[in-house]
Amino acid sequence: MLRMLTGLAVVAARQSDLDAAGRLWGLVLEELPRAALQRPEVLYELAAPKADLTDDGFLAAVEAGRSSTIEEAVAVALALGGFCAGP
């Protein structure tokens, strides 16, 4: 799940959606210590394209993402593709 969220954060950053990128990356950072990943450094390698983002909006979104739930992250991810979870 964290690998997918990291990939989506990169996609959001490439689409200049820094709010979504920050929220997704913030959740990844928060969940990473609890995850049973054999190679957590892979997530940082995947995230390298956005590692230099210092935009205030992005950084605020990272902090918001740290306190979000997986369900909220899924909603952010669904919004990236223009999909809607509801009617």
Side-chain angles (χ1 to χ4, degrees):
M1 173 76 88
L2 293 181
R3 194 172 293 197
M4 177 196 63
L5 292 174
T6 300
L8 289 170
V10 171
V11 168
R14 288 184 179 158
Q15 293 177 348
S16 298
D17 188 343
L18 299 185
D19 184 65
R23 288 178 181 276
L24 293 168
W25 183 238
L27 180 67
V28 169
L29 292 176
E30 192 63 28
E31 294 295 321
L32 194 55
R34 294 184 284 281
L37 295 177
Q38 292 178 348
R39 294 186 54 227
E41 68 275 4
V42 169
L43 296 182
Y44 289 100
E45 292 168 11
L46 284 172
K50 63 179 184 21
D52 63 348
L53 292 177
T54 56
D55 178 85
D56 289 339
F58 172 76
L59 297 175
V62 168
E63 289 308 310
R66 285 181 172 271
S67 63
S68 66
T69 64
I70 293 290
E71 291 80 10
E72 291 168 330
V74 168
V76 170
L78 287 173
L80 278 178
F83 302 106
C84 178

